[in-house]
Amino acid sequence: MFAEPSAKTADLLQRMRDFFDRYIYPNEARHHEEMAAFRRAGNPWQLSPLIEELKPIAREAGLWNMFLPHEHRGVPGISNLDYAPLCELMGRVSWSGQVFNCSAPDTGNMETIERYGTEAQKDEWLEPLLAGRIRSGFLMTEPAVASSDATNIQCSIVRDGDHYLINGRKWFSSGAGSPDCKIYIVMGKTDPDAPRHAQQSMVLVPRDTAGVKVVRHLSVFGYDDAPHGHMEVLLENVRVPVSNMLLGEGRGFEIAQGRLGPGRIHHCMRSIGAAERALEMMVDRLQARIAFGKPLAAQSVWHERIAESRCMIDQARLLTLNAAWKMDTVGNKEARAEIAMIKVVAPNMSCKVVDWAIQAHGAAGVSQDFWLAEAYAHQRTVRIVDGPDEVHRNAIAKLELAKRR
Ligand SMILES: Cc1cc2nc3c(=O)[nH]c(=O)nc-3n(C[C@H](O)[C@H](O)[C@H](O)COP(=O)(O)OP(=O)(O)OC[C@H]3O[C@@H](n4cnc5c(N)ncnc54)[C@H](O)[C@@H]3O)c2cc1C
């Protein structure tokens, strides 16, 4: 492949693979059992004992905070291209990112505070996030409006002396179910009369502020994704100091643009990891099961699907690496076409490959005994989160049309 990992990434990747073999794969069942026990006891919104146990081991091993694109107060930076294979590996087990302090939405939130926060905001919120002591939420989407068009966001942020008064209802706020989720980045309107893209702002809202209420969790194909969760959050007369504003009033879109590029590519990298694992499982199952006198793998329809999966995964990976390289070399804005393309290609590819792997497993594929049903539920959401397919296709088409105008 033309984009071989750098020496730094190759070393990190080998150490991460060893960590997965020693601590992640052997503990998948334990994680499920621990969360199931919490559910049976009536409260799954508790810290995962396994993840808390593994975090210090990962940190000690130097496998910690590997996502920041440049150095910050001693945390070494890593380019998007270098991060790609590491993030891909984390896509193989949905909760593994938390072990390395590299999970969404924290990575996007930390990067946002690092890029746009004041030194005081960094001291108060970025440091404990980088240390893995707390987690964070990103509250943009609202139940009342089509939130794929972020200009629709209605949450109001009104200046009142030295404070902002915030009122709004958010949902699908990922991570807000976790008891260590202590800070939200909230998007809302500071000036409804300003030009369309200058109405919105982003403000830091501590979870324990009066008026913040986590109303309920939203399931994903029946999964609660506890303890992380996707929550509905009501903000009722919430007051925060004006110093909690990020970058400045009316600059929410500017931050969203900067934040969503890396967030999107991380989703795609993880989707490739999920597809790769699904293909391995598909191949193993097809070779192990005998039907009509021969292994399922001997049926030509499965040759077609295996070959197609390999082609699709490698195509998506190369496109993703290209987008990562462009982000590193010309910036997120200039790489917007490439980011939009992978955001369409990677999750559609992973949905297809995981779907074939489910089919290869028969009934077992949709059950809790295999990772595939959970993987499909998650991969299907990636076609919606951070902009649905159609919005990204529109963006790509507009750029193509403009070239020939
Ligand atoms: C598991 C999960 C986690 C999430 N986590 C977060 C989070 O942490 N924070 C957060 O703020 N949000 C989060 N979201 C919300 C997600 O970002 C939104 O669902 C997404 O932006 C779409 O907004 P919407 O649901 O309001 O859909 P709508 O805007 O109502 O759109 C509905 C559908 O309309 C179609 N559509 C939209 N625009 C166009 C167009 N221009 N052309 C053609 N068709 C179009 C698309 O098919 C789209 O799916 C999460 C969602 C899920 C499922």
Side-chain angles (χ1 to χ4, degrees):
M1 185 155 90
F2 80 90
E4 283 300 325
S6 67
K8 175 182 171 179
T9 304
D11 169 56
L12 281 168
L13 190 57
Q14 190 50 53
R15 289 193 288 123
M16 269 189 78
R17 284 192 182 126
D18 294 343
F19 194 98
F20 265 69
D21 288 340
R22 187 159 173 203
Y23 297 108
I24 304 286
Y25 299 130
N27 278 314
E28 282 187 276
R30 182 183 147 193
H31 180 66
H32 278 283
E33 278 154 23
E34 282 176 350
M35 295 318 298
F38 285 154
R39 274 182 208 102
R40 281 194 300 277
N43 179 18
W45 310 107
Q46 303 182 52
L47 294 184
S48 151
L50 174 68
I51 293 174
E52 293 310 306
E53 190 180 303
L54 295 183
K55 274 160 64 174
I57 303 173
R59 193 171 182 176
E60 186 63 25
L63 301 171
W64 190 255
N65 286 336
M66 292 164 289
F67 63 91
L68 268 184
H70 50 259
E71 194 273 342
H72 165 77
R73 295 184 183 175
V75 178
I78 187 165
S79 69
N80 286 296
L81 191 60
D82 275 342
Y83 185 51
L86 309 176
C87 194
E88 177 180 326
L89 186 55
M90 289 184 250
R92 297 172 69 93
V93 178
S94 65
W95 49 266
S96 65
Q98 277 182 65
V99 172
F100 309 104
N101 213 34
C102 288
S103 57
D106 297 304
T107 48
N109 290 340
M110 287 189 262
E111 209 178 322
T112 300
I113 301 173
E114 199 278 321
R115 274 179 80 165
Y116 304 108
T118 62
E119 290 307 303
Q121 289 167 345
K122 289 178 194 176
D123 289 342
E124 190 170 6
W125 299 113
L126 183 57
E127 292 305 324
L129 280 166
L130 286 168
R133 285 200 300 276
I134 63 167
R135 299 198 64 202
S136 57
F138 182 69
L139 278 58
M140 183 176 79
T141 306
E142 299 178 0
V145 294
S147 303
S148 48
D149 175 0
T151 61
N152 283 337
I153 298 303
Q154 293 301 309
C155 173
S156 77
I157 305 175
V158 178
R159 176 105 189 219
D160 182 21
D162 292 341
H163 287 80
Y164 286 109
L165 189 64
I166 306 168
N167 279 284
R169 186 181 288 272
K170 301 289 186 178
W171 76 345
F172 282 96
S173 308
S174 296
S178 186
D180 60 353
C181 180
K182 299 292 184 194
I183 185 74
Y184 301 150
I185 296 179
V186 174
M187 187 168 183
K189 273 191 183 165
T190 32
D191 183 0
D193 301 320
R196 210 163 160 244
H197 291 97
Q199 298 177 1
Q200 308 281 352
S201 306
M202 286 196 198
V203 67
L204 291 165
V205 177
R207 160 71 184 91
D208 57 9
T209 314
V212 174
K213 190 175 171 201
V214 177
V215 180
R216 61 172 180 146
H217 87 270
L218 283 308
S219 64
V220 172
F221 292 105
Y223 292 95
D224 60 16
D225 288 353
H228 174 79
H230 313 285
M231 314 310 270
E232 181 168 329
V233 182
L234 181 63
L235 304 160
E236 232 171 5
N237 295 323
V238 173
R239 274 181 183 278
V240 296
V242 288
S243 56
N244 281 24
M245 179 61 63
L246 279 170
L247 196 60
E249 286 187 23
R251 302 185 71 180
F253 266 91
E254 201 177 322
I255 302 175
Q257 272 193 338
R259 182 189 187 282
L260 290 176
R264 283 172 184 152
I265 199 166
H266 295 171
H267 279 309
C268 297
M269 293 164 178
R270 285 188 291 265
S271 290
I272 293 163
E276 197 68 70
R277 186 177 186 188
L279 176 56
E280 286 167 14
M281 289 176 68
M282 172 159 63
V283 166
D284 288 350
R285 184 77 172 184
L286 292 169
Q287 299 198 91
R289 300 282 276 194
I290 310 291
F292 304 99
K294 50 187 173 183
L296 288 167
Q299 303 285 356
S300 64
V301 64
W302 286 109
H303 292 173
E304 281 280 317
R305 290 172 183 165
I306 291 168
E308 196 59 24
S309 298
R310 171 51 58 214
C311 296
M312 286 162 58
I313 295 172
D314 283 11
Q315 282 170 353
R317 183 183 288 113
L318 289 172
L319 211 54
T320 304
L321 291 174
N322 184 51
W325 174 76
K326 275 206 85 169
M327 288 167 78
D328 291 334
T329 50
V330 293
N332 299 352
K333 197 171 171 207
E334 283 303 306
R336 62 192 183 282
E338 285 76 11
I339 295 170
M341 283 190 272
I342 52 159
K343 184 61 184 53
V344 175
V345 168
N348 277 282
M349 173 282 292
S350 61
C351 281
K352 188 72 230 168
V353 174
V354 175
D355 180 65
W356 278 331
I358 288 174
Q359 192 71 15
H361 281 71
V366 295
S367 77
Q368 77 275 29
D369 281 5
F370 289 82
W371 160 85
L372 294 163
E374 177 196 319
Y376 185 81
H378 178 68
Q379 290 308 314
R380 185 63 186 82
T381 69
V382 185
R383 292 187 50 205
I384 298 168
V385 297
D386 285 353
D389 291 352
E390 295 86 346
V391 171
H392 294 296
R393 284 203 178 94
N394 283 350
I396 299 162
K398 274 184 195 152
L399 290 167
E400 285 303 309
L401 290 165
K403 284 183 194 166
R404 307 284 299 168
R405 199 164 287 143

